[in-house]
Structure formats: C-alpha cells, structure tokens
Amino acid sequence: MSQFMKEGDPVWIVPYDESWPQLFQQMAQPMREALGPVALRIDHIGSTSVPQLAAKPVIDIQISVADFEPLDAYRIPLERLGYIFRAENPELTKRYFRETPGERRVHVHVRRAGSFSQQLALLFRDYVRAHPAVAAQYAQLKIELARRYNRPEDREAYTDSKDPFIWQVVRQADHWAQQSGWVVGPSDA
C-alpha cells in the first residue's frame, strides 16, 4: 500500500510511526510563519498526535483563531501553502482545508479559540496521551472497524462506529480534567 492515503481509499490503520510528530512540525512551521498572530495556536491533534497509537496515516492540524471572519485572513495564507479550502464542509464549528491532490493526506481544522470543538480536540488528545490503556483500546477498536468497513464507501460507517467509544472517553476525560485541573499546554507550533 502507498504511504499516502488518497481520496476514495478504504480506511486503513497502520502502527504508530515515529515520524508523525516531525511531519506535523514540517507542515506547521510554514503555517506559523504564514499566519503569524492570526493563528493563536497550531496543534497536532487526532490519532497521529498520540504516541504509540495506531492510526490512519493522516496528519490532523488544528489552527485556533479568534474568529472565522475575515475568512481571507487564514484562507489566503493556507492556500498559498497549497491547502485547499473545503467550503462545503458541513461542520459549522470549523473551517476545513485539505492537501493538494497527490500530496500526503492532511486535515486542517480551523476552529475558534476557546470553543467547545477546539477544546474538545485538545482534551481528548491529552487524555489519551496520558492513558496508554485507553489508547490501546482505541487502537484495537479502529483496527477492528477498519477490517469491518474496508470499502471506500464504508468510510462514514467507520467514523460513526467510533462515536460511542469516543463519547465514553470524553466523559472520562472531562472527569480527569476536573480532578487534575487540566489546562492545555503551549501551542505545538
């Protein structure tokens, strides 16, 4: 299988790759330079941000902004870096960008700083990083679901089938945050 996932590929899960944090940095540093103070934070999120977690080989990057408007404040710099704005994204709590066709698969999530969706991604990441047993359970679930939903048209069923586990972990993460006084650390880039 190619090292790059492409649009229309079936879901496939690979063992953790030690190069994922460096790949994130290679992508995030030009974003930091291009966006300047518009990007309040740039963070590595998603499964590739959790050490030892098996994942789809897709780097997820979250850019936190003060507001979605003006869109051009971040759209133009990201497009100059080769990312494609996906205006049709149905999730209204983020603005979404993808890689140029043929390039390594990247999901860029632009979210409002302090919003529920922005904080949720960071809390989930930090909780799973701090709890290797949860990471192992999540990896096993993803491997099983990728086997079950192994056709390109099954991608949505794969994602939907993870939801009960994810929301269970979110409840645990919220309790952990309340008990530990969790605050997100500094921006990753």
Side-chain angles (χ1 to χ4, degrees):
M1 225 176 242
S2 165
Q3 69 180 35
F4 299 147
M5 284 189 81
K6 297 181 290 303
E7 196 76 38
D9 278 351
V11 174
W12 49 285
I13 304 296
V14 300
Y16 180 77
D17 186 329
E18 298 286 339
S19 72
W20 287 339
Q22 292 81 21
L23 288 170
F24 162 78
Q25 287 297 330
Q26 289 170 7
M27 295 174 209
Q29 288 308 317
M31 290 177 179
R32 168 55 63 211
E33 292 169 16
L35 293 167
V38 169
L40 303 176
R41 298 183 61 92
I42 300 177
D43 292 290
H44 189 185
I45 62 167
S47 294
T48 61
S49 72
V50 179
Q52 304 311 312
L53 180 58
K56 294 182 295 186
V58 176
I59 304 296
D60 283 282
I61 300 172
Q62 178 171 269
I63 300 172
S64 302
V65 297
D67 203 348
F68 288 142
E69 297 300 330
L71 174 66
D72 284 350
Y74 52 90
R75 184 185 60 80
I76 291 172
L78 289 173
E79 286 177 344
R80 285 184 182 140
L81 292 173
Y83 297 98
I84 299 169
F85 177 53
R86 296 286 188 97
E88 75 284 358
N89 175 56
E91 190 178 329
L92 300 180
T93 61
K94 73 177 178 187
R95 302 300 178 257
Y96 184 58
F97 294 79
R98 288 281 302 275
E99 75 286 345
T100 302
E103 295 295 319
R104 172 178 279 284
R105 188 83 173 264
V106 181
H107 297 171
V108 180
H109 313 266
V110 178
R111 293 186 170 117
R112 286 187 182 105
S115 69
F116 176 77
S117 61
Q118 183 250 2
Q119 291 291 301
L120 180 66
L122 297 171
L123 174 61
F124 186 87
R125 177 199 69 186
D126 288 357
Y127 180 78
V128 176
R129 281 179 176 175
H131 295 85
V134 174
Q137 291 172 341
Y138 191 32
Q140 187 59 43
L141 174 65
K142 291 190 303 175
I143 291 166
E144 290 171 11
L145 292 175
R147 285 186 190 129
R148 184 179 314 154
Y149 302 111
N150 61 6
R151 298 175 306 163
E153 60 271 18
D154 291 339
R155 188 171 286 279
E156 190 173 332
Y158 165 83
T159 300
D160 291 346
S161 295
K162 293 187 308 178
D163 280 353
F165 179 84
I166 289 170
W167 285 108
Q168 173 190 335
V169 171
V170 167
R171 283 191 296 276
Q172 294 168 351
D174 179 57
H175 180 74
W176 171 75
Q178 299 303 319
Q179 297 299 320
S180 68
W182 171 84
V183 293
V184 68
S187 175
D188 293 334

